[in-house]
Amino acid sequence: METLWFCVIALLWLGYLFLEGFDFGVGMLLPVLGRDETERRVLINTIGPVWDGNEVWLLVAGGATFAAFPGWYASLFSSAYLPLTLFLVALIARGVAFEYRGKVDSARWRRLWDTMIVAGSWVAALGVGLVLSANVFGLPLDANGDRVGSPFAAITPQSLLGALAVAGYALVHGAVFLTLKTEGEVRERARGLVLRYAPFALLPLVVLLLLVQLHSGSTWTWAASIVVALAALGGYARLVLRREGQAFALMGVAVAATVVALFGALYPNVLPSTLDPAFSLTVADTASSPYTLTVMTWVAAFGTPAVLVYQGWTYWVFRKRIGTRHIPAVHVPSS
């Protein structure tokens, strides 16, 4: 049961990275691909109906960790308290910006909230990458699972590489999503950006996976890392042929294989100790009681299909492309 819930939590992180990954990317690319107010509204409208639903995956991942592995939750969230707080503040600022940018008919007002969207998207993408990679490589934990040393202990060269890896992935994923969801100049601009810069943006992810496998990989996690590279190359090739849907699906395969490689290299630990391997937190050590895990399994068995059906229906309703011709003309004052 403990292993099952470890896999469930990995699956929840997969859903979050795939779904929130592209709307982080859209926010990060707002000033690059949106040359005027109408184009920026096109970009925001591609994720407007779904961005808040995508964040539910993070809440469920955190809640499931708290309920299934309270020891893991306590040590990780206390040891990486500062980057996690910054990450959550970025998510809050970004969400408020989506809701408030259209409340006042002022170019200055919209620029303010657009800046919050861009900054929040960048900080959140970097933050989630930093925390996940710090979890995989480990933190300085003592025998009680408490952090030893600075509050900035989660910030290491490996975790900074992880931050760049997730941010680079989000940029590419968001641009590929925009080739699938937009039309006209925005679509062509997004496609051109991926074809020019994807190899550079995804390089930190490749290096991260290589380091993880050298650190604690196995045969099957090496295989998952190879799948990441093949899926990314395949997505690039399909985008060259203007098969945007297939390219987007292959980005999904790449992030799924990434999660398999990272969590597979982590297991049976949930949070390694960099001070002494004997202090590492494991699946067995940090799990809740069998009764708790059984109750959680039954709740998830009934609740998860309903959530998936509802979210899938939302994406189906808003599946069509968006272009500038769909955006009503508005007066844009000078200030």
Side-chain angles (χ1 to χ4, degrees):
M1 195 69 76
E2 295 91 344
T3 299
L4 171 64
W5 273 97
F6 180 84
C7 294
V8 169
I9 290 170
L11 182 63
L12 292 170
W13 276 107
L14 164 59
Y16 181 68
L17 290 171
F18 177 70
L19 296 173
E20 190 86 313
F22 68 72
D23 68 47
F24 280 160
V26 172
M28 294 156 75
L29 292 168
L30 188 64
V32 178
L33 300 180
R35 303 291 175 81
D36 55 33
E37 171 60 17
T38 302
E39 290 183 348
R40 286 190 288 274
R41 289 175 64 194
V42 168
L43 295 178
I44 292 171
N45 285 357
T46 62
I47 59 173
V50 298
W51 69 267
D52 48 355
N54 294 344
E55 289 189 354
V56 170
W57 288 80
L58 174 67
L59 299 176
V60 178
T65 304
F66 172 77
F69 300 99
W72 181 11
Y73 179 94
S75 291
L76 175 62
F77 278 61
S78 60
S79 299
Y81 183 81
L82 289 180
L84 277 168
T85 300
L86 186 61
F87 166 55
L88 293 175
V89 169
L91 288 180
I92 293 169
R94 182 173 174 270
V96 170
F98 282 131
E99 300 297 333
Y100 273 67
R101 79 177 299 276
K103 299 298 184 182
V104 176
D105 189 16
S106 163
R108 181 179 299 173
W109 174 268
R110 283 188 285 268
R111 282 196 300 270
L112 169 65
W113 295 111
D114 285 349
T115 300
M116 297 294 286
I117 291 172
V118 176
S121 298
W122 272 100
V123 172
L126 291 166
V128 71
L130 188 147
V131 172
L132 278 177
S133 55
N135 193 124
V136 171
F137 284 103
L139 292 165
L141 304 179
D142 62 18
N144 296 319
D146 297 327
R147 186 197 71 234
V148 175
S150 166
F152 300 96
I155 302 175
T156 65
Q158 294 94 331
S159 64
L160 290 174
L161 176 63
L164 293 176
V166 171
Y169 155 76
L171 277 173
V172 176
H173 194 32
V176 173
F177 173 76
L178 289 171
T179 67
L180 181 65
K181 279 291 295 178
T182 61
E183 61 182 34
E185 291 187 12
V186 174
R187 177 189 179 191
E188 292 304 315
R189 219 173 282 147
R191 179 175 177 272
L193 186 144
V194 175
L195 295 180
R196 284 193 299 271
Y197 300 113
F200 305 101
L202 294 178
L203 182 60
L205 178 60
V206 174
V207 177
L208 175 69
L209 290 174
L210 180 60
L211 288 181
V212 168
Q213 300 316 310
L214 292 173
H215 180 260
S216 55
S218 61
T219 301
W220 64 279
T221 58
W222 272 104
S225 299
I226 293 172
V227 170
V228 174
L230 293 176
L233 289 172
Y236 188 91
R238 300 316 292 170
L239 197 61
V240 170
L241 298 176
R242 295 184 178 276
R243 300 290 191 270
E244 290 96 346
Q246 295 174 15
F248 185 69
L250 284 167
M251 287 299 296
V253 173
V255 73
T258 297
V259 170
V260 170
L262 294 179
F263 279 81
L266 179 62
Y267 185 85
N269 293 324
V270 293
L271 185 57
S273 171
T274 57
L275 297 181
D276 187 335
F279 299 159
S280 296
L281 304 182
T282 67
V283 168
D285 295 338
T286 59
S288 293
S289 68
Y291 178 77
T292 300
L293 296 178
T294 300
V295 171
M296 290 176 61
T297 302
W298 280 107
V299 172
F302 286 98
T304 303
V307 173
L308 292 176
V309 168
Y310 173 76
Q311 194 163 28
W313 176 77
T314 302
Y315 276 92
W316 176 256
V317 169
F318 296 101
R319 67 189 182 277
K320 293 186 178 180
R321 291 183 182 272
I322 302 172
T324 54
R325 64 190 177 92
H326 300 112
I327 304 297
V330 294
H331 170 63
V332 182
S334 57
S335 63

